[in-house]
Amino acid sequence: MKARNNRIENREEKQFFLFISPWLLGFLIFTLYPMGYSIFLVFTDMDMTGSGQFVGLDNIIRAFTQDPLFYRSLLNTLYFVLVSVPASLLMSFLIALLLNQKIKGVGFFRTSFYIPYITSGVAVTLLWGWIFNAQFGFINYFLSLFGITGPNWLSDTKWAMPAIIIMGIWTIGNSIIITLAGLQDIPEALYESAEIDGASSFVKITQITLPLITPTLYFNLVMGIIGGFQIFMQPYILTEGGPSYSTYTYMMHIYNSGFKYNEMGYASTLAWLLFVVIMIITLIVNRTSRHWVYYDN
């Protein structure tokens, strides 16, 4: 009997590795190997052809002392994250509250808010480029109905990044759905008890909903920070980093360094520096979460 059990366990073990082998091979070839090789590239001046030599810490020193676009792109990205992430959290929470109401046709509205998230990013970006057009765009036309002259959204250094932030907030459908799931996980008995005690809607939101939804908000916050630091497609398509580098993001700097200027070693250095920045900010958020995230268990 013991020998038979051992044969069954061995067969199940082989089947296990057989079934996970496609994912395992994909992870090793397309994730682990590129990450390891990029660490090697950090210490070289290798180009796209694979030719180059070992340069030690020169790429890191160059980023901090010789590359003004390093700081400019990092500050632009920080600006985007500091504005778009809190705004997205607030809008996701407010919209999820509305979508959590038991009204007729609520499924249609939930689908409508989620669709922008799954639509083609390039198509959506081109659409918003038309909306922000200074001459015939919808926003400036709408403002003109009230006698307001709209700005040159994508050609003005003051308005280019806010325009991209507005466009980013429009695609928060995933955060809305996640927040909605968190709201529906709150026990109805808590609201019923509060109503018996005469609590108003404002009190129920601030004393019940917000504390119990903080784990979901924490998740959206971390994911928003990670995604915000990787903003690339929207400014690249709409402005290519202009005007005057006002929308030149960190990911654009990595892309240009590697594929435009053929400096894969320096691009890898920038990528790993971004990883360090995201990791530090994520650890700070994680450390401070103990003071504001409430877990009912």
Side-chain angles (χ1 to χ4, degrees), residues 17-297:
F17 285 106
L18 176 64
F19 291 143
I20 71 167
S21 58
W23 177 88
L24 190 60
L25 288 174
F27 173 76
L28 293 174
I29 296 173
F30 299 109
T31 302
L32 189 60
Y33 171 73
M35 289 180 63
Y37 191 66
S38 67
I39 295 177
F40 165 74
L41 292 177
V42 169
F43 305 101
T44 70
D45 60 355
M46 194 170 295
D47 56 21
M48 289 287 291
T49 64
S51 61
Q53 59 184 359
F54 183 80
V55 296
L57 299 178
D58 287 357
N59 286 328
I60 299 176
I61 296 173
R62 173 187 171 186
F64 287 102
T65 62
Q66 303 173 15
D67 185 4
L69 289 179
F70 170 77
Y71 293 102
R72 183 63 184 271
S73 61
L74 184 59
L75 289 176
N76 287 340
T77 307
L78 281 172
Y79 171 41
F80 177 85
V81 172
L82 291 175
V83 177
S84 67
V85 173
S88 298
L89 287 176
L90 178 61
M91 292 298 297
S92 298
F93 178 71
L94 296 178
I95 294 174
L97 281 178
L98 296 175
L99 296 179
N100 196 38
Q101 305 301 314
K102 297 179 180 178
I103 59 176
K104 186 177 181 180
V106 68
F108 168 78
F109 293 105
R110 292 175 181 175
T111 304
S112 300
F113 279 103
Y114 188 71
I115 285 178
Y117 174 76
I118 61 176
T119 51
S120 172
V122 175
V124 170
T125 302
L126 293 175
L127 174 63
W128 276 95
W130 173 81
I131 293 175
F132 282 122
N133 188 279
Q135 281 74 37
F136 52 83
F138 173 78
I139 293 181
N140 281 3
Y141 171 75
F142 179 78
L143 293 176
S144 67
L145 298 179
F146 301 92
I148 302 174
T149 302
N152 294 324
W153 292 94
L154 301 176
S155 302
D156 192 327
T157 57
K158 296 180 180 179
W159 289 101
M161 185 60 79
I164 293 175
I165 292 173
I166 293 173
M167 181 179 60
I169 294 175
W170 188 71
T171 58
I172 59 174
N174 192 53
S175 297
I176 293 174
I177 295 300
I178 293 174
T179 306
L180 179 61
L183 290 175
Q184 294 181 344
D185 194 47
I186 299 176
E188 287 290 337
L190 297 177
Y191 294 110
E192 295 173 357
S193 300
E195 290 179 357
I196 294 174
D197 293 335
S200 63
S201 298
F202 178 78
V203 171
K204 288 189 289 185
I205 292 176
T206 56
Q207 301 299 320
I208 298 177
T209 304
L210 276 176
L212 294 180
I213 202 67
T214 48
T216 304
L217 297 179
Y218 168 66
F219 173 81
N220 284 336
L221 174 62
V222 173
M223 298 306 295
I225 291 173
I226 295 173
F229 272 101
Q230 300 179 69
I231 180 70
F232 169 76
M233 179 183 61
Q234 295 88 339
Y236 183 79
I237 293 177
L238 291 179
T239 64
E240 295 186 1
S244 301
Y245 292 101
S246 60
T247 61
Y248 190 75
T249 63
Y250 196 89
M251 286 299 298
M252 291 180 64
H253 194 38
I254 295 176
Y255 175 82
N256 288 337
S257 298
F259 297 99
K260 186 176 181 179
Y261 303 122
N262 199 24
E263 297 178 325
M264 296 305 297
Y266 186 61
S268 298
T269 303
L270 294 175
W272 278 104
L273 289 175
L274 177 62
F275 169 79
V276 172
V277 170
I278 294 176
M279 182 179 65
I280 292 174
I281 295 178
T282 303
L283 289 176
I284 293 174
V285 173
N286 181 60
R287 182 62 62 90
T288 57
S289 65
R290 66 184 66 177
H291 300 293
W292 61 275
V293 178
Y294 172 77
Y295 296 99
D296 58 355
N297 56 351

